[in-house]
Amino acid sequence: AGSRTSLHAALRTLLTVPWPSQRDIRSCLQLLAVLQWVLSFLVLGEWVVSLVLLIYLVFTSFWPISALYLAWVIFDWDTPEKGGRRLSCLRRWPVWKHFRDYFPVQLVKTHDLSPGHNYIIGSHPHGILCVGAFCNFTTCSTGFLEMFPGIRPFLTTLAGNFRLPLFREYLMSGGLFPVTRQAIGYLLSRNGTGNAVAIVIGGASESLSCQPGVTTLILKNRKGFVRMALEHGAHLVPSFSFGENDLFRQVVFEEGSWMRSIQKRIQKMMGFAPCIFYGRGLLSVQSRGFLPYPKPITTVVGEPMTVPKIAEPSRETVDLYHGMYVRSLLKLFNENKTKYGMSETDELRIV
């Protein structure tokens, strides 16, 4: 009788516990979506993890797996620069909608893009993990395909990532491409028209200056994307992700300091810049961890800039169109900054 009474009491207590609301469930799903994405870059993206796993298998009865995969990588070495191996189902994966809603991420269209042309979209700023660029140009969650019918977006990233075992397969399946002349040239010349190649122009170096309240772009001497646009007759389109620099807090070392020099040296050798940053914790926004803060990101895609096709553009021509692009980007920033969380006095610093 006593045990039956205890059981009834336990059941009554259980029934009085409030069930999670739909809002709680959505928040949990959003957090898990961001967690899996961050871990895929911080864990799977570490070449040491992949390499150690493959080496470990060599000394086990599963050694043929490592041997077969090595043979496959050698055979498949140039695929990332020849159209990749994109899986559209991953682009439409429902988890990306939860990823989008966590921040949330929004895409804003200002002008049409004609399917009869190819485009190079300059994506600014880099931030720490390029959340805005990834969400808008790699997933279908923000409606890029509906806003720009007939346009196929492609996001480029560090070429070295495609030399990492296992991680290269993950990147290609998600539709990412190396930011190399060969890969970009393939997309712009052998894939018809209606292609939009997004390039995070500031690259890894720009992440070293990523901090809230400061918008510094490394662009003044980055002119390779303009030369590529001229060689292929691809129109240039500026885009800016407002809020990208607010997702993490970073320890920024002053120019000339020994820590800054170490960061730059590693960036030149490895292709990425080692940043000391933190975000929110897994259980609370107030705690510290490696997850981005839930801050809104609004990516505004600007007006396309007509670019002629010139097989061998001169330095003067490249400088001319680079200057036009910078002015177009500054106009886009100044016209939209107060709409998306910035003040009228905020400026865009280009170095």
Side-chain angles (χ1 to χ4, degrees), residues 337-348:
K337 61 184 179 182
T338 56
K339 299 177 185 178
Y340 305 113
M342 290 187 170
S343 67
E344 188 65 44
T345 57
D346 284 331
E347 297 183 358
L348 190 61

PDB file of all heavy atoms in Angstrom, residues 337-348:
ATOM      1  N   LYS A 337      23.133  51.516 -42.799  1.00  0.00           N
ATOM      2  CA  LYS A 337      23.669  51.294 -41.463  1.00  0.00           C
ATOM      3  C   LYS A 337      22.680  51.643 -40.356  1.00  0.00           C
ATOM      4  O   LYS A 337      22.577  50.921 -39.350  1.00  0.00           O
ATOM      5  CB  LYS A 337      24.983  52.065 -41.279  1.00  0.00           C
ATOM      6  CG  LYS A 337      24.861  53.584 -41.417  1.00  0.00           C
ATOM      7  CD  LYS A 337      26.240  54.240 -41.302  1.00  0.00           C
ATOM      8  CE  LYS A 337      26.168  55.756 -41.459  1.00  0.00           C
ATOM      9  NZ  LYS A 337      27.512  56.386 -41.383  1.00  0.00           N
ATOM     10  N   THR A 338      21.929  52.729 -40.497  1.00  0.00           N
ATOM     11  CA  THR A 338      20.995  53.099 -39.432  1.00  0.00           C
ATOM     12  C   THR A 338      19.764  52.204 -39.409  1.00  0.00           C
ATOM     13  O   THR A 338      19.068  52.129 -38.396  1.00  0.00           O
ATOM     14  CB  THR A 338      20.554  54.565 -39.590  1.00  0.00           C
ATOM     15  OG1 THR A 338      19.981  54.760 -40.894  1.00  0.00           O
ATOM     16  CG2 THR A 338      21.748  55.497 -39.429  1.00  0.00           C
ATOM     17  N   LYS A 339      19.503  51.507 -40.519  1.00  0.00           N
ATOM     18  CA  LYS A 339      18.354  50.597 -40.569  1.00  0.00           C
ATOM     19  C   LYS A 339      18.622  49.311 -39.802  1.00  0.00           C
ATOM     20  O   LYS A 339      17.693  48.654 -39.330  1.00  0.00           O
ATOM     21  CB  LYS A 339      18.022  50.240 -42.026  1.00  0.00           C
ATOM     22  CG  LYS A 339      17.644  51.411 -42.907  1.00  0.00           C
ATOM     23  CD  LYS A 339      17.405  50.919 -44.331  1.00  0.00           C
ATOM     24  CE  LYS A 339      17.141  52.070 -45.286  1.00  0.00           C
ATOM     25  NZ  LYS A 339      16.967  51.586 -46.689  1.00  0.00           N
ATOM     26  N   TYR A 340      19.895  48.945 -39.668  1.00  0.00           N
ATOM     27  CA  TYR A 340      20.233  47.628 -39.132  1.00  0.00           C
ATOM     28  C   TYR A 340      21.222  47.699 -37.970  1.00  0.00           C
ATOM     29  O   TYR A 340      22.219  46.983 -37.930  1.00  0.00           O
ATOM     30  CB  TYR A 340      20.764  46.735 -40.251  1.00  0.00           C
ATOM     31  CG  TYR A 340      19.794  46.649 -41.411  1.00  0.00           C
ATOM     32  CD1 TYR A 340      20.111  47.185 -42.652  1.00  0.00           C
ATOM     33  CD2 TYR A 340      18.541  46.067 -41.247  1.00  0.00           C
ATOM     34  CE1 TYR A 340      19.221  47.127 -43.712  1.00  0.00           C
ATOM     35  CE2 TYR A 340      17.640  46.002 -42.304  1.00  0.00           C
ATOM     36  CZ  TYR A 340      17.976  46.532 -43.528  1.00  0.00           C
ATOM     37  OH  TYR A 340      17.075  46.477 -44.567  1.00  0.00           O
ATOM     38  N   GLY A 341      20.937  48.592 -37.023  1.00  0.00           N
ATOM     39  CA  GLY A 341      21.626  48.560 -35.733  1.00  0.00           C
ATOM     40  C   GLY A 341      22.804  49.469 -35.544  1.00  0.00           C
ATOM     41  O   GLY A 341      23.413  49.467 -34.473  1.00  0.00           O
ATOM     42  N   MET A 342      23.184  50.244 -36.566  1.00  0.00           N
ATOM     43  CA  MET A 342      24.316  51.144 -36.422  1.00  0.00           C
ATOM     44  C   MET A 342      23.835  52.585 -36.310  1.00  0.00           C
ATOM     45  O   MET A 342      22.695  52.907 -36.673  1.00  0.00           O
ATOM     46  CB  MET A 342      25.289  51.004 -37.607  1.00  0.00           C
ATOM     47  CG  MET A 342      26.038  49.687 -37.623  1.00  0.00           C
ATOM     48  SD  MET A 342      27.305  49.668 -38.902  1.00  0.00           S
ATOM     49  CE  MET A 342      28.179  48.163 -38.466  1.00  0.00           C
ATOM     50  N   SER A 343      24.718  53.449 -35.834  1.00  0.00           N
ATOM     51  CA  SER A 343      24.369  54.861 -35.703  1.00  0.00           C
ATOM     52  C   SER A 343      24.844  55.637 -36.925  1.00  0.00           C
ATOM     53  O   SER A 343      25.632  55.145 -37.738  1.00  0.00           O
ATOM     54  CB  SER A 343      25.009  55.445 -34.450  1.00  0.00           C
ATOM     55  OG  SER A 343      26.428  55.489 -34.581  1.00  0.00           O
ATOM     56  N   GLU A 344      24.354  56.866 -37.055  1.00  0.00           N
ATOM     57  CA  GLU A 344      24.698  57.702 -38.196  1.00  0.00           C
ATOM     58  C   GLU A 344      26.190  58.037 -38.233  1.00  0.00           C
ATOM     59  O   GLU A 344      26.775  58.244 -39.290  1.00  0.00           O
ATOM     60  CB  GLU A 344      23.881  59.006 -38.143  1.00  0.00           C
ATOM     61  CG  GLU A 344      24.011  59.872 -39.374  1.00  0.00           C
ATOM     62  CD  GLU A 344      23.448  59.211 -40.623  1.00  0.00           C
ATOM     63  OE1 GLU A 344      22.350  58.614 -40.557  1.00  0.00           O
ATOM     64  OE2 GLU A 344      24.130  59.295 -41.667  1.00  0.00           O
ATOM     65  N   THR A 345      26.827  58.018 -37.060  1.00  0.00           N
ATOM     66  CA  THR A 345      28.246  58.381 -36.983  1.00  0.00           C
ATOM     67  C   THR A 345      29.186  57.211 -37.270  1.00  0.00           C
ATOM     68  O   THR A 345      30.394  57.418 -37.419  1.00  0.00           O
ATOM     69  CB  THR A 345      28.572  58.963 -35.595  1.00  0.00           C
ATOM     70  OG1 THR A 345      28.218  57.991 -34.594  1.00  0.00           O
ATOM     71  CG2 THR A 345      27.796  60.244 -35.342  1.00  0.00           C
ATOM     72  N   ASP A 346      28.665  55.996 -37.314  1.00  0.00           N
ATOM     73  CA  ASP A 346      29.519  54.831 -37.587  1.00  0.00           C
ATOM     74  C   ASP A 346      30.078  54.926 -39.002  1.00  0.00           C
ATOM     75  O   ASP A 346      29.361  55.262 -39.962  1.00  0.00           O
ATOM     76  CB  ASP A 346      28.730  53.534 -37.439  1.00  0.00           C
ATOM     77  CG  ASP A 346      28.488  53.171 -35.982  1.00  0.00           C
ATOM     78  OD1 ASP A 346      29.333  53.549 -35.153  1.00  0.00           O
ATOM     79  OD2 ASP A 346      27.469  52.526 -35.682  1.00  0.00           O
ATOM     80  N   GLU A 347      31.357  54.603 -39.136  1.00  0.00           N
ATOM     81  CA  GLU A 347      32.028  54.670 -40.417  1.00  0.00           C
ATOM     82  C   GLU A 347      32.610  53.319 -40.815  1.00  0.00           C
ATOM     83  O   GLU A 347      32.885  52.477 -39.957  1.00  0.00           O
ATOM     84  CB  GLU A 347      33.146  55.721 -40.406  1.00  0.00           C
ATOM     85  CG  GLU A 347      32.655  57.141 -40.185  1.00  0.00           C
ATOM     86  CD  GLU A 347      33.788  58.158 -40.243  1.00  0.00           C
ATOM     87  OE1 GLU A 347      34.953  57.712 -40.424  1.00  0.00           O
ATOM     88  OE2 GLU A 347      33.510  59.354 -40.106  1.00  0.00           O
ATOM     89  N   LEU A 348      32.782  53.152 -42.096  1.00  0.00           N
ATOM     90  CA  LEU A 348      33.405  51.948 -42.626  1.00  0.00           C
ATOM     91  C   LEU A 348      34.866  52.256 -42.903  1.00  0.00           C
ATOM     92  O   LEU A 348      35.177  53.108 -43.749  1.00  0.00           O
ATOM     93  CB  LEU A 348      32.692  51.498 -43.905  1.00  0.00           C
ATOM     94  CG  LEU A 348      33.060  50.132 -44.468  1.00  0.00           C
ATOM     95  CD1 LEU A 348      32.737  49.034 -43.476  1.00  0.00           C
ATOM     96  CD2 LEU A 348      32.330  49.887 -45.788  1.00  0.00           C
TER      97      LEU A 348
END
